[in-house]
Amino acid sequence: MFDVLEVRLGDRTVGAITALGGDRSIFTFDDGYAEDSQRPTLSLSFKSQTGGLIREHNSTQTRLLPFFSNLLPEGRLRAYLAERAGVKTSREFFLLWALGADLPGSVWVGSADGEKPPPGAGGAEEAVGQASKTSRAFRFSLAGVQLKFSALAAPKKGLTISVHGDGGDWIVKLPSAQYAGVSENEFSMMSLARAVGIDVPEIKLLSLDDIEGLPTDVGRLDGGVFAIKRFDRLETGERIHMEDFAQVFGLYPEDKYEKASYRSIAGVIWRETGEAGLVEFVRRLVFNALIGNADMHLKNWSLLYRDGVNATLAPAYDFVATQAYIPDDKAALKVVRSKRWADLSRDELVAMSRKAGLPEELVLRTAAETVAAFREVWSNQRIGLPLDQAATDVVETQLKIVPLAQI
Ligand SMILES: Nc1ncnc2c1ncn2[C@@H]1O[C@H](COP(=O)(O)OP(=O)(O)OP(=O)(O)O)[C@@H](O)[C@H]1O
Ligand SMILES: [Mg+2]
């Protein structure tokens, strides 16, 4: 008997992941889905050059295909959720099985008969039986490294985390023990981004006391909580599909700083979403240069499928002036030739436009407008934001050293 996980998009079956033994598994599309010309989009990485569906996929060992691997958390969050589920972090088939009921976007993965993975089935011997005995398992997944939960608006002003962590339409990012003030930093940067005209979801800066149902095993916490409304969930509970650019390019999460560039992201956005998406992309690129964000990697950009089929650029998330913590003048990815924000010049944008076939004039005009809007917002609207000196200094430095900011 092989374990088979059904993969659904909304209420529609799109395929299955079958365990082949020896820790191998294989993903196959469902015939009905593959043959439907009106099918909803699972991922652009499954789209062939002629627009058809790429149906043949190799089996993988321990890991899943990049598309599925990217639905799982990384780092500390992954270790935390895997431990509670009684699954070994590296065995992705079992981890996805445990967390598959509430995944990013509208993907659902689970056993067709509702069976849960057997405790310890993922090879976490020390955890055998623990999850089922104590009902400590969470049944949700979010990407990224930082500890975070999906939460619902509470009757008063705060947010509530459900017993299994599922069903929420907000994301709550807990304060970081490593980087003091990161929630305040993110809240400030996202507020500035909105003032500049960038598409930013509703956000809140809360205290730990405002969060009901916070698990007690997350360690000692100190500082503010950053909360952001989910764009892949409606208040009705309906799910909107999304994918990040590691998924779009079929790359594993650990390649999120490599193997692609802002130029390649821009090319996809332009082809798939047209002018509206491209203008928004350029605003965000310039904005992140000006705030000294060295972490705009492939998983911090996503596409949203509002109608289920066609891509739009998802709203902004994870804007942090990271240089306040890690002095590093590099961007997460190359624009075209350089990874340094100090090389982000008009000339670099011209090169990006030519190589990716973008309308050069629109790119340059949008960049200049964003710089002007940013300078205005930075002078007049930063008062009142919970910005510390380190973050303020980073922005002041970027305004001096980013060549584009000099126009
Ligand atoms: N408002 C939102 N709506 C829906 N999904 C979101 C939203 N904000 C973030 N996400 C998803 O959650 C993931 C994690 O969020 P975020 O990038 O803010 O966390 P992080 O742990 O700081 O990430 P990183 O590992 O890049 O530091 C994102 O990669 C994205 O898939
Ligand atoms: Mg992120």
Side-chain angles (χ1 to χ4, degrees):
M1 262 295 286
F2 295 129
D3 285 321
V4 179
L5 300 181
E6 192 181 328
V7 179
R8 295 185 201 149
L9 200 50
D11 52 14
R12 172 114 190 230
T13 299
V14 302
I17 308 173
T18 306
L20 302 173
D23 239 357
R24 297 200 80 81
S25 66
I26 189 160
F27 172 66
T28 43
F29 277 110
D30 176 77
D31 287 342
Y33 172 79
E35 285 153 18
D36 178 1
S37 60
Q38 310 292 311
R39 65 179 166 266
T41 307
L42 183 62
S43 170
L44 289 182
S45 64
F46 297 129
K47 189 163 139 182
S48 74
Q49 301 226 313
T50 53
L53 188 71
I54 300 173
R55 291 197 64 169
E56 297 298 317
H57 301 284
N58 292 331
S59 66
T60 54
Q61 183 145 38
T62 319
R63 313 220 49 185
L64 298 167
L65 283 185
F67 175 79
F68 295 103
S69 185
N70 276 291
L71 297 170
L72 296 169
E74 300 162 79
R76 172 138 190 243
L77 180 60
R78 182 172 181 132
Y80 177 75
L81 292 178
E83 200 267 326
R84 286 188 64 135
V87 168
K88 197 171 172 184
T89 49
S90 57
R91 298 178 89 183
E92 296 191 338
F93 180 89
F94 294 101
L95 197 53
L96 190 65
W97 188 354
L99 308 180
D102 196 344
L103 298 170
S106 68
V107 194
W108 178 97
V109 177
S111 132
D113 53 15
E115 209 184 311
K116 293 271 156 270
E125 288 82 12
E126 70 282 8
V128 171
Q130 188 187 45
S132 57
K133 262 191 225 144
T134 59
S135 303
R136 290 166 69 240
F138 277 133
R139 299 196 192 114
F140 80 96
S141 175
L142 287 166
V145 175
Q146 211 182 316
L147 273 190
K148 62 181 88 61
F149 295 91
S150 198
L152 281 156
K156 289 180 202 142
K157 61 173 182 145
L159 296 170
T160 301
I161 298 166
S162 72
V163 178
H164 292 296
D166 56 344
D169 59 351
W170 283 81
I171 291 173
V172 166
K173 291 172 81 172
L174 299 185
S176 155
Q178 207 176 355
Y179 305 119
V182 77
S183 301
E184 290 76 4
N185 184 323
E186 185 164 1
F187 181 82
S188 301
M189 296 307 141
M190 295 295 279
S191 302
L192 291 169
R194 178 179 300 128
V196 164
I198 291 168
D199 181 11
V200 171
E202 194 183 339
I203 53 173
K204 299 179 196 238
L205 184 62
L206 299 171
S207 75
L208 286 160
D209 294 340
D210 297 324
I211 313 299
E212 290 169 13
L214 192 67
T216 51
D217 60 354
V218 288
R220 240 183 68 80
L221 298 171
D222 189 22
V225 171
F226 176 77
I228 185 163
K229 190 92 188 276
R230 290 185 71 159
F231 45 73
D232 62 337
R233 296 287 185 274
L234 302 181
E235 269 160 31
T236 55
E238 197 190 321
R239 300 177 181 191
I240 314 291
H241 190 49
M242 69 169 186
E243 63 171 329
D244 66 39
F245 273 81
Q247 292 173 301
V248 169
F249 293 133
L251 296 170
Y252 282 108
E254 64 269 26
D255 292 325
K256 65 191 177 184
Y257 296 106
E258 307 294 331
K259 299 191 182 174
S261 58
Y262 292 122
R263 165 203 151 189
S264 46
I265 296 177
V268 172
I269 290 174
W270 170 239
R271 274 198 308 282
E272 298 289 331
T273 76
E275 271 195 17
L278 180 64
V279 165
E280 185 66 12
F281 168 82
V282 174
R283 282 188 193 129
R284 294 186 203 174
L285 181 68
V286 172
F287 180 87
N288 281 290
L290 299 181
I291 65 163
N293 185 355
D295 208 34
M296 283 307 284
H297 52 68
L298 292 174
K299 296 183 70 62
N300 281 335
W301 301 85
S302 289
L303 298 175
L304 190 64
Y305 297 91
R306 296 176 202 272
D307 66 1
V309 179
N310 298 294
T312 55
L313 183 61
Y317 56 93
D318 211 8
F319 288 1
V320 178
T322 62
Q323 288 183 31
Y325 309 100
I326 308 165
D328 174 5
D329 71 343
K330 289 211 182 62
L333 296 165
K334 273 188 188 172
V335 178
V336 186
R337 300 167 293 205
S338 169
K339 255 196 173 186
R340 296 178 60 232
W341 286 135
D343 291 330
L344 184 61
S345 59
R346 210 181 129 83
D347 194 46
E348 186 77 356
L349 290 186
V350 169
M352 178 177 87
S353 304
R354 295 198 178 146
K355 293 225 157 121
L358 314 174
E360 186 177 310
E361 217 246 313
L362 180 66
V363 169
L364 294 174
R365 186 168 15 107
T366 305
E369 285 168 4
T370 306
V371 168
F374 186 92
R375 284 193 173 277
E376 160 82 28
V377 164
W378 184 246
S379 306
N380 301 319
Q381 292 187 47
R382 72 168 189 267
I383 305 109
L385 292 176
L387 266 171
D388 62 17
Q389 195 58 47
T392 307
D393 291 347
V394 166
V395 177
E396 294 290 351
T397 302
Q398 293 305 97
L399 285 170
K400 291 198 190 92
I401 67 162
V402 176
L404 255 188
Q406 315 313 318
I407 42 181

